[in-house]
Amino acid sequence: QVQLVESGGGLVQAGGSLRLSCATSVSIISINEMAWYRQAPGKKRELVAGLTSGDSTNYASSVKGRFTISRDDAENTVYLQMNTLKPEDTAVYYCHAKYWAYMTGFLEVWGQGTLVTVSS
């Protein structure tokens, strides 16, 4: 089973930057899709950014132009570079992976989450 470990969250002032990391327990090239989601207090979890094995990306409209998802195959890590942060970006950020498991089909796994707090 794939395991994900996130890091990089913290407290930052509005306008600042943070980079989140998500390390995978298997070769990242074997994972079909990776994504970052977030969940703010009292709100539903939402997709922030996605990255396919073919390097296609998609972003929530609220973060487009400010956030960038990328991966390092050698490090088996996916990153979320967050620039020009706003208080409304405050949330717990979760890494998500979707991969094909032999004899099982597609499986999904979540990281434990990392808190990002943006102060005004």
Side-chain angles (χ1 to χ4, degrees):
Q1 170 124 7
V2 174
Q3 294 182 328
L4 307 175
V5 178
E6 301 125 332
S7 61
L11 174 64
V12 64
Q13 287 190 330
S17 298
L18 279 176
R19 188 178 77 161
L20 305 183
S21 300
C22 174
T24 67
S25 60
V26 300
S27 172
I28 201 169
I29 62 175
S30 67
I31 298 176
N32 299 81
E33 299 175 7
M34 293 210 67
W36 288 95
Y37 285 74
R38 68 186 180 187
Q39 187 166 19
K43 295 190 176 182
K44 294 172 64 175
R45 191 172 297 189
E46 63 175 356
L47 175 68
V48 176
L51 174 64
T52 71
S53 57
D55 288 331
S56 295
T57 59
N58 63 292
Y59 296 92
S61 58
S62 60
V63 307
K64 199 171 292 185
R66 299 188 297 123
F67 291 10
T68 302
I69 188 171
S70 63
R71 70 170 192 232
D72 185 327
D73 292 350
E75 297 293 328
N76 294 322
T77 300
V78 170
Y79 301 100
L80 184 68
Q81 178 67 44
M82 307 185 293
N83 298 327
T84 319
L85 282 161
K86 304 175 181 180
E88 52 263 43
D89 294 318
T90 295
V92 177
Y93 285 71
Y94 297 91
C95 185
H96 174 266
K98 182 177 181 181
Y99 62 100
W100 177 263
Y102 181 66
M103 297 291 288
T104 304
F106 279 109
L107 296 176
E108 298 182 55
V109 63
W110 295 88
Q112 80 282 1
T114 185
L115 177 63
V116 172
T117 304
V118 185
S119 64
S120 57

Short mmCIF file of all heavy atoms in Angstrom, two decimals, residues 53-89:
data_model
loop_
_atom_site.label_atom_id
_atom_site.label_comp_id
_atom_site.label_asym_id
_atom_site.label_seq_id
_atom_site.Cartn_x
_atom_site.Cartn_y
_atom_site.Cartn_z
N SER A 53 0.34 11.38 -14.21
CA SER A 53 1.61 10.77 -14.58
C SER A 53 2.10 11.29 -15.92
O SER A 53 3.29 11.21 -16.22
CB SER A 53 1.48 9.25 -14.61
OG SER A 53 0.45 8.86 -15.50
N GLY A 54 1.19 11.81 -16.74
CA GLY A 54 1.56 12.40 -18.00
C GLY A 54 1.89 13.88 -17.90
O GLY A 54 2.03 14.56 -18.92
N ASP A 55 2.01 14.37 -16.67
CA ASP A 55 2.39 15.76 -16.39
C ASP A 55 1.31 16.78 -16.71
O ASP A 55 1.60 17.97 -16.83
CB ASP A 55 3.69 16.15 -17.10
CG ASP A 55 4.91 15.48 -16.49
OD1 ASP A 55 4.87 15.19 -15.27
OD2 ASP A 55 5.88 15.22 -17.23
N SER A 56 0.07 16.35 -16.83
CA SER A 56 -1.01 17.31 -16.95
C SER A 56 -1.35 17.85 -15.56
O SER A 56 -1.35 17.09 -14.58
CB SER A 56 -2.25 16.64 -17.54
OG SER A 56 -2.01 16.23 -18.86
N THR A 57 -1.64 19.13 -15.51
CA THR A 57 -1.97 19.76 -14.23
C THR A 57 -3.34 20.43 -14.31
O THR A 57 -3.80 20.81 -15.39
CB THR A 57 -0.93 20.81 -13.82
OG1 THR A 57 -0.86 21.81 -14.84
CG2 THR A 57 0.44 20.18 -13.63
N ASN A 58 -3.96 20.56 -13.16
CA ASN A 58 -5.18 21.35 -13.07
C ASN A 58 -5.22 22.01 -11.70
O ASN A 58 -4.65 21.48 -10.73
CB ASN A 58 -6.44 20.50 -13.30
CG ASN A 58 -6.63 19.41 -12.27
OD1 ASN A 58 -5.86 18.47 -12.21
ND2 ASN A 58 -7.65 19.56 -11.43
N TYR A 59 -5.84 23.17 -11.65
CA TYR A 59 -5.86 23.98 -10.44
C TYR A 59 -7.26 24.51 -10.15
O TYR A 59 -8.04 24.78 -11.07
CB TYR A 59 -4.91 25.18 -10.58
CG TYR A 59 -3.47 24.83 -10.73
CD1 TYR A 59 -2.89 24.66 -11.99
CD2 TYR A 59 -2.66 24.65 -9.61
CE1 TYR A 59 -1.56 24.31 -12.13
CE2 TYR A 59 -1.32 24.31 -9.74
CZ TYR A 59 -0.78 24.15 -11.00
OH TYR A 59 0.55 23.82 -11.13
N ALA A 60 -7.54 24.69 -8.88
CA ALA A 60 -8.76 25.39 -8.51
C ALA A 60 -8.62 26.83 -8.98
O ALA A 60 -7.52 27.41 -8.96
CB ALA A 60 -8.95 25.34 -6.99
N SER A 61 -9.72 27.42 -9.37
CA SER A 61 -9.66 28.79 -9.89
C SER A 61 -9.14 29.76 -8.83
O SER A 61 -8.50 30.76 -9.16
CB SER A 61 -11.04 29.23 -10.37
OG SER A 61 -11.99 29.13 -9.32
N SER A 62 -9.37 29.44 -7.57
CA SER A 62 -8.97 30.35 -6.49
C SER A 62 -7.46 30.39 -6.27
O SER A 62 -6.95 31.31 -5.63
CB SER A 62 -9.66 29.94 -5.19
OG SER A 62 -9.31 28.61 -4.83
N VAL A 63 -6.74 29.40 -6.80
CA VAL A 63 -5.29 29.36 -6.59
C VAL A 63 -4.50 29.47 -7.88
O VAL A 63 -3.26 29.57 -7.85
CB VAL A 63 -4.86 28.07 -5.85
CG1 VAL A 63 -5.66 27.89 -4.57
CG2 VAL A 63 -4.99 26.85 -6.73
N LYS A 64 -5.19 29.47 -8.99
CA LYS A 64 -4.50 29.51 -10.30
C LYS A 64 -3.66 30.77 -10.39
O LYS A 64 -4.12 31.87 -10.07
CB LYS A 64 -5.53 29.45 -11.41
CG LYS A 64 -4.98 29.03 -12.76
CD LYS A 64 -6.10 28.78 -13.75
CE LYS A 64 -6.94 27.58 -13.40
NZ LYS A 64 -7.95 27.26 -14.44
N GLY A 65 -2.41 30.57 -10.81
CA GLY A 65 -1.49 31.69 -10.92
C GLY A 65 -0.70 31.97 -9.65
O GLY A 65 0.28 32.71 -9.68
N ARG A 66 -1.12 31.36 -8.54
CA ARG A 66 -0.41 31.56 -7.27
C ARG A 66 0.24 30.27 -6.78
O ARG A 66 1.30 30.31 -6.16
CB ARG A 66 -1.39 32.06 -6.19
CG ARG A 66 -2.05 33.38 -6.49
CD ARG A 66 -2.84 33.89 -5.29
NE ARG A 66 -3.94 33.00 -4.92
CZ ARG A 66 -4.08 32.46 -3.71
NH1 ARG A 66 -3.20 32.69 -2.77
NH2 ARG A 66 -5.13 31.68 -3.45
N PHE A 67 -0.39 29.13 -7.06
CA PHE A 67 0.12 27.84 -6.60
C PHE A 67 0.65 27.05 -7.79
O PHE A 67 0.12 27.13 -8.90
CB PHE A 67 -0.98 27.02 -5.93
CG PHE A 67 -1.47 27.54 -4.60
CD1 PHE A 67 -1.10 28.80 -4.13
CD2 PHE A 67 -2.30 26.77 -3.82
CE1 PHE A 67 -1.55 29.27 -2.91
CE2 PHE A 67 -2.77 27.23 -2.59
CZ PHE A 67 -2.38 28.49 -2.14
N THR A 68 1.66 26.23 -7.53
CA THR A 68 2.22 25.36 -8.56
C THR A 68 2.46 23.97 -7.98
O THR A 68 3.14 23.84 -6.95
CB THR A 68 3.55 25.91 -9.10
OG1 THR A 68 3.34 27.23 -9.63
CG2 THR A 68 4.08 25.02 -10.21
N ILE A 69 1.93 22.96 -8.66
CA ILE A 69 2.18 21.58 -8.26
C ILE A 69 3.28 21.02 -9.15
O ILE A 69 3.31 21.29 -10.36
CB ILE A 69 0.90 20.72 -8.34
CG1 ILE A 69 1.14 19.34 -7.75
CG2 ILE A 69 0.36 20.64 -9.76
CD1 ILE A 69 -0.15 18.51 -7.59
N SER A 70 4.19 20.27 -8.56
CA SER A 70 5.28 19.69 -9.32
C SER A 70 5.74 18.42 -8.62
O SER A 70 5.30 18.13 -7.50
CB SER A 70 6.45 20.67 -9.45
OG SER A 70 6.98 20.95 -8.16
N ARG A 71 6.62 17.68 -9.28
CA ARG A 71 7.12 16.46 -8.63
C ARG A 71 8.59 16.27 -8.95
O ARG A 71 9.09 16.75 -9.96
CB ARG A 71 6.31 15.25 -9.09
CG ARG A 71 6.53 14.85 -10.51
CD ARG A 71 5.87 13.49 -10.81
NE ARG A 71 6.32 12.98 -12.08
CZ ARG A 71 5.51 12.57 -13.04
NH1 ARG A 71 4.21 12.61 -12.86
NH2 ARG A 71 6.00 12.09 -14.16
N ASP A 72 9.26 15.54 -8.09
CA ASP A 72 10.65 15.16 -8.27
C ASP A 72 10.69 13.64 -8.28
O ASP A 72 10.54 13.01 -7.23
CB ASP A 72 11.50 15.73 -7.14
CG ASP A 72 12.98 15.48 -7.33
OD1 ASP A 72 13.34 14.41 -7.91
OD2 ASP A 72 13.79 16.31 -6.90
N ASP A 73 10.86 13.05 -9.45
CA ASP A 73 10.82 11.59 -9.56
C ASP A 73 11.95 10.93 -8.78
O ASP A 73 11.77 9.85 -8.21
CB ASP A 73 10.88 11.17 -11.03
CG ASP A 73 9.63 11.55 -11.79
OD1 ASP A 73 8.64 11.97 -11.15
OD2 ASP A 73 9.63 11.47 -13.03
N ALA A 74 13.10 11.57 -8.74
CA ALA A 74 14.23 10.98 -8.03
C ALA A 74 13.99 10.94 -6.52
O ALA A 74 14.45 10.03 -5.83
CB ALA A 74 15.50 11.77 -8.33
N GLU A 75 13.25 11.93 -6.03
CA GLU A 75 12.96 12.01 -4.60
C GLU A 75 11.61 11.38 -4.24
O GLU A 75 11.26 11.33 -3.06
CB GLU A 75 12.98 13.47 -4.14
CG GLU A 75 14.33 14.15 -4.28
CD GLU A 75 15.37 13.56 -3.35
OE1 GLU A 75 14.99 13.12 -2.23
OE2 GLU A 75 16.55 13.52 -3.73
N ASN A 76 10.85 10.94 -5.26
CA ASN A 76 9.51 10.40 -5.02
C ASN A 76 8.68 11.35 -4.17
O ASN A 76 8.04 10.95 -3.18
CB ASN A 76 9.58 9.02 -4.36
CG ASN A 76 10.18 7.98 -5.26
OD1 ASN A 76 9.93 7.97 -6.47
ND2 ASN A 76 11.01 7.10 -4.70
N THR A 77 8.68 12.60 -4.58
CA THR A 77 8.02 13.65 -3.81
C THR A 77 7.25 14.57 -4.73
O THR A 77 7.72 14.91 -5.83
CB THR A 77 9.06 14.46 -3.01
OG1 THR A 77 9.75 13.58 -2.11
CG2 THR A 77 8.40 15.56 -2.21
N VAL A 78 6.08 14.97 -4.27
CA VAL A 78 5.27 15.96 -4.94
C VAL A 78 5.28 17.22 -4.09
O VAL A 78 5.24 17.14 -2.86
CB VAL A 78 3.83 15.47 -5.15
CG1 VAL A 78 2.93 16.59 -5.64
CG2 VAL A 78 3.81 14.34 -6.15
N TYR A 79 5.34 18.36 -4.76
CA TYR A 79 5.39 19.64 -4.06
C TYR A 79 4.19 20.50 -4.42
O TYR A 79 3.60 20.37 -5.49
CB TYR A 79 6.67 20.39 -4.43
CG TYR A 79 7.93 19.66 -4.12
CD1 TYR A 79 8.61 18.96 -5.11
CD2 TYR A 79 8.44 19.64 -2.83
CE1 TYR A 79 9.78 18.27 -4.83
CE2 TYR A 79 9.61 18.95 -2.53
CZ TYR A 79 10.27 18.27 -3.54
OH TYR A 79 11.44 17.59 -3.25
N LEU A 80 3.86 21.39 -3.50
CA LEU A 80 2.90 22.45 -3.79
C LEU A 80 3.55 23.76 -3.35
O LEU A 80 3.71 24.02 -2.16
CB LEU A 80 1.59 22.23 -3.05
CG LEU A 80 0.50 23.26 -3.37
CD1 LEU A 80 0.03 23.09 -4.82
CD2 LEU A 80 -0.68 23.13 -2.42
N GLN A 81 3.96 24.53 -4.34
CA GLN A 81 4.52 25.85 -4.08
C GLN A 81 3.39 26.83 -4.00
O GLN A 81 2.63 26.97 -4.96
CB GLN A 81 5.51 26.24 -5.18
CG GLN A 81 6.11 27.63 -4.99
CD GLN A 81 7.00 27.72 -3.77
OE1 GLN A 81 7.81 26.83 -3.51
NE2 GLN A 81 6.87 28.80 -3.02
N MET A 82 3.27 27.51 -2.89
CA MET A 82 2.16 28.44 -2.66
C MET A 82 2.73 29.84 -2.47
O MET A 82 3.49 30.08 -1.53
CB MET A 82 1.36 28.02 -1.42
CG MET A 82 0.88 26.58 -1.46
SD MET A 82 -0.18 26.13 -0.07
CE MET A 82 1.01 26.24 1.28
N ASN A 83 2.38 30.72 -3.39
CA ASN A 83 2.85 32.11 -3.34
C ASN A 83 1.68 33.04 -3.13
O ASN A 83 0.53 32.68 -3.38
CB ASN A 83 3.59 32.46 -4.63
CG ASN A 83 4.82 31.62 -4.85
OD1 ASN A 83 5.50 31.20 -3.91
ND2 ASN A 83 5.12 31.34 -6.12
N THR A 84 1.99 34.24 -2.74
CA THR A 84 0.97 35.28 -2.53
C THR A 84 -0.19 34.72 -1.71
O THR A 84 -1.37 34.82 -2.09
CB THR A 84 0.46 35.83 -3.87
OG1 THR A 84 1.54 35.99 -4.78
CG2 THR A 84 -0.19 37.18 -3.69
N LEU A 85 0.14 34.13 -0.58
CA LEU A 85 -0.88 33.49 0.24
C LEU A 85 -1.85 34.51 0.82
O LEU A 85 -1.48 35.66 1.12
CB LEU A 85 -0.22 32.69 1.35
CG LEU A 85 0.36 31.35 0.89
CD1 LEU A 85 1.39 30.83 1.88
CD2 LEU A 85 -0.76 30.33 0.69
N LYS A 86 -3.09 34.06 0.95
CA LYS A 86 -4.17 34.89 1.48
C LYS A 86 -4.76 34.23 2.73
O LYS A 86 -4.68 33.00 2.87
CB LYS A 86 -5.27 35.04 0.43
CG LYS A 86 -4.80 35.58 -0.90
CD LYS A 86 -5.94 35.58 -1.92
CE LYS A 86 -5.49 36.11 -3.26
NZ LYS A 86 -6.60 36.12 -4.26
N PRO A 87 -5.37 35.00 3.60
CA PRO A 87 -5.99 34.38 4.79
C PRO A 87 -6.97 33.27 4.43
O PRO A 87 -7.08 32.29 5.17
CB PRO A 87 -6.68 35.56 5.46
CG PRO A 87 -5.85 36.74 5.08
CD PRO A 87 -5.42 36.47 3.67
N GLU A 88 -7.65 33.40 3.31
CA GLU A 88 -8.61 32.38 2.91
C GLU A 88 -7.95 31.09 2.45
O GLU A 88 -8.64 30.09 2.19
CB GLU A 88 -9.56 32.90 1.83
CG GLU A 88 -8.88 33.53 0.65
CD GLU A 88 -8.82 35.05 0.76
OE1 GLU A 88 -8.51 35.56 1.88
OE2 GLU A 88 -9.07 35.72 -0.25
N ASP A 89 -6.64 31.07 2.35
CA ASP A 89 -5.92 29.83 2.04
C ASP A 89 -5.68 29.00 3.29
O ASP A 89 -5.19 27.86 3.20
CB ASP A 89 -4.57 30.13 1.39
CG ASP A 89 -4.69 30.78 0.03
OD1 ASP A 89 -5.56 30.33 -0.76
OD2 ASP A 89 -3.93 31.72 -0.25
#
